[in-house]
Amino acid sequence: MAALGVALFFAPDIMLHLRADYLTHAGEVATYTLPDGTSLALDAQSAVALHFSPKERRVELLAGRLWVDVQHQDTRPFRVVAADGVTQDVGTAFFVGQDKNRVDIAVTQGRVLVGKQDAAMQTDLQVGQAAHYLRGGAVMRDPAVDPEDIAAWRYGELVIRNQSVADALRLIARYRRGPTWVWANTAGMDRVDAVLRNDHPDDAILSLINGRGLKLTHLPGNGLLITSGSR
């Protein structure tokens, strides 16, 4: 029974490793050149599978976040599939991120078309424009973003805009090479707007919890425990 429990616990990670052509771990950001010459950047804890055929170039985002600068000398359509939606390149560089059932898209250069698989209607996004969709839901436009902020993790920055403390902590934890636990009620705290360094995640966490009544405890194995503390 114990062995079965361990197997079930690790099964999702094992399946991800088996499916992925490129995969990054906690604290790892990597850039790859795809067979067509496209540049692919993967954020920490991300994975993709490639499906290149004579008719199309398709990248399936299995987990996490990516940014691509598409090679356009190859005339085959270039698409990124995430959840039940597709983002198609129209001469561009763009970001796609998947978190649970939500997928976010933003454009740094050119233009993309975003839509659900097998759906006729598509949303046209250009430089600085963003959108998202939930699994089973329609594509929704988001406020415009600074193209310099899009996928800033590629060059060591972590741009956090109007996020809850819990979400911000979870995002920073991607870059730590050790577990991070939050045992604190962060509901009702001011939302986070910050630009931090993702190559110094512990400093980023300290900066974020400063003044919010949270306490940081270092644990064996490079673990961090964040709890409520006295103000």
Side-chain angles (χ1 to χ4, degrees):
M1 289 297 293
L4 178 60
V6 171
L8 290 174
F9 180 81
F10 287 106
D13 286 341
I14 294 171
M15 291 303 299
L16 189 65
H17 278 74
L18 290 175
R19 294 179 63 194
D21 289 296
Y22 299 110
L23 180 145
T24 56
H25 303 282
E28 178 187 8
V29 175
T31 301
Y32 306 93
T33 299
L34 302 187
D36 65 336
T38 290
S39 180
L40 165 71
L42 278 188
D43 196 8
Q45 297 182 332
S46 300
V48 297
L50 304 185
H51 306 278
F52 280 36
S53 73
K55 293 185 178 180
E56 70 168 348
R57 298 169 290 168
R58 179 161 47 94
V59 175
E60 183 182 1
L61 180 60
L62 304 174
R65 311 193 297 177
L66 64 76
W67 177 87
V68 285
D69 187 356
V70 180
Q71 170 59 251
H72 296 110
Q73 293 179 351
D74 192 318
T75 59
R76 292 173 295 173
F78 188 100
R79 303 180 176 100
V80 174
V81 176
D84 57 355
V86 179
T87 301
Q88 178 163 335
D89 160 69
V90 189
T92 191
F94 61 95
F95 160 86
V96 181
Q98 182 171 280
D99 186 4
K100 298 180 181 178
N101 289 322
R102 176 180 170 121
V103 176
D104 290 280
I105 306 98
V107 182
T108 54
Q109 299 174 26
R111 176 172 162 246
V112 300
L113 298 174
V114 184
K116 290 311 181 77
Q117 297 189 55
D118 301 323
M121 184 175 295
Q122 294 180 312
T123 299
D124 190 324
L125 299 179
Q126 301 186 28
V127 178
Q129 294 183 330
H132 75 275
Y133 58 85
L134 303 179
R135 187 182 293 273
V139 177
M140 306 293 292
R141 289 184 178 272
D142 293 324
V145 294
D146 185 339
E148 293 296 322
D149 288 351
I150 298 171
W153 41 264
R154 290 174 290 145
Y155 38 85
E157 289 188 347
L158 184 58
V159 179
I160 302 175
R161 301 298 186 202
N162 192 33
Q163 291 198 22
S164 69
V165 171
D167 285 344
L169 287 171
R170 185 161 52 88
L171 181 59
I172 298 171
R174 300 170 69 96
Y175 303 96
R176 296 197 68 255
R177 297 182 183 274
T180 303
W181 295 281
V182 180
W183 291 352
N185 182 9
T186 60
M189 292 184 179
D190 293 341
R191 297 183 73 81
V192 179
D193 279 283
V195 179
L196 305 168
R197 294 294 303 178
N198 63 18
D199 51 359
H200 293 87
D202 287 9
D203 291 342
I205 289 175
L206 278 173
S207 175
L208 193 151
I209 69 174
N210 185 38
R212 288 190 163 91
L214 298 174
K215 178 183 176 182
L216 187 64
T217 302
H218 291 266
L219 301 174
N222 201 33
L224 282 184
L225 176 63
I226 300 168
T227 57
S228 298
S230 58
R231 293 184 176 274

